[in-house]
Amino acid sequence: MSQHALVLQSDFGLDDGAVNAMYGVAYSVDSSIRIFDLTHNIPVFHICEASYRLLQSVSYWPEGTVFVSVVDPGVGSERRSVAVRTSSNQYIITPDNGTLTHISRQNGIAEARYLDEAQNRLPKSGESHTFHGRDIYAYTGARLAAGALSFDRIGPEVSIDSIVKLPVMEAYIENDWITGTIDILDVRFGNLWTNISRTLFKSLDVQYGDPVEVVIKHEDTKVYQQTLAFGRSFADMPVGKPVVYINSLDRLGIALNQGSFAKTYHIGTGINWRISLRKSI
């Protein structure tokens, strides 16, 4: 049997046995399976962050890798479960609640299937309706990774267009200002990661060292305005000073050298957090 890696993501944390139980289920399918953690520290119920963390990781794994992502505030409800094959041939098994938004938009989904929860369920777990991460997703993901289940047997094919997407805003340029959203934080360091691509930012003809005017708003309230330098890395600025840079996903970021920009200036994430930039004159 062909075997591939299984990568787990959830909002379960590591304070109890939930993640350990998912490991146990996977090993019960095949004790030689290779299991890795993407993260289990997604803020509870934060579907958008789960979506972004998949974007951050999936394309760097080999073809055939199986991802299980469980941030599932609707567990036990009528919400749909799906399995998808990405355009670069990794697989993701997840509730269909918006977790696939970023992968769908930026990596691409080649095929999607309805995950039949009655057929793809850990034996003798039929009376449990609150831990689908263990009983359905980890179990099915392990079977797919181990080669015990083929993708086309997970369930009937569904339209890719029917996959649930979260609301997003495309970054745009208008009157020499680029505006985008603050999608997520580089959590441990407090850097802001935006949806503004390097290509769009470079259309302002900004060179390393040039000043850039930055305005951040939460809904209609301005919470930050300052002129910052565009640098290659954090160390281009003295400790405690902010810098505009290109992050590891080729998107625009804002950081505070050896400090947390987000905590210092009380910046959040999501579609209601907007950032605008222009080359300072």
Side-chain angles (χ1 to χ4, degrees), residues 42-58:
I42 300 293
V44 291
F45 312 138
H46 204 306
I47 297 167
C48 186
E49 181 154 334
S51 175
Y52 201 96
R53 296 306 176 198
L54 288 173
L55 173 68
Q56 189 178 358
S57 304
V58 166

Side-chain angles (χ1 to χ4, degrees), residues 90-201:
Q90 297 90 6
Y91 298 97
I92 305 171
I93 295 174
T94 184
D96 184 21
N97 58 12
T99 306
L100 296 167
T101 299
H102 289 86
I103 288 291
S104 176
R105 291 174 59 83
Q106 299 188 46
N107 294 43
I109 292 174
E111 186 179 357
R113 292 190 172 270
Y114 169 71
L115 196 161
D116 187 325
E117 295 181 2
Q119 297 298 319
N120 297 287
R121 176 182 272 278
L122 181 69
K124 301 181 180 179
S125 68
E127 296 303 316
S128 173
H129 300 285
T130 60
F131 199 177
H132 287 179
R134 176 195 65 195
D135 299 337
I136 295 170
Y137 301 129
Y139 178 67
T140 304
R143 294 180 71 214
L144 183 60
L149 175 69
S150 63
F151 181 71
D152 59 5
R153 291 183 58 204
I154 285 176
E157 190 168 3
V158 297
S159 166
I160 294 170
D161 292 338
S162 74
I163 297 294
V164 173
K165 313 293 194 310
L166 300 173
V168 295
M169 186 199 86
E170 294 282 359
Y172 63 91
I173 186 167
E174 185 177 38
N175 297 327
D176 297 325
W177 283 90
I178 292 176
T179 298
T181 55
I182 301 170
D183 280 348
I184 206 163
L185 301 181
D186 188 358
V187 177
R188 287 183 63 84
F189 304 104
N191 306 333
L192 313 185
W193 283 15
T194 79
N195 70 336
I196 299 170
S197 69
R198 174 182 54 83
T199 302
L200 183 59
F201 176 66

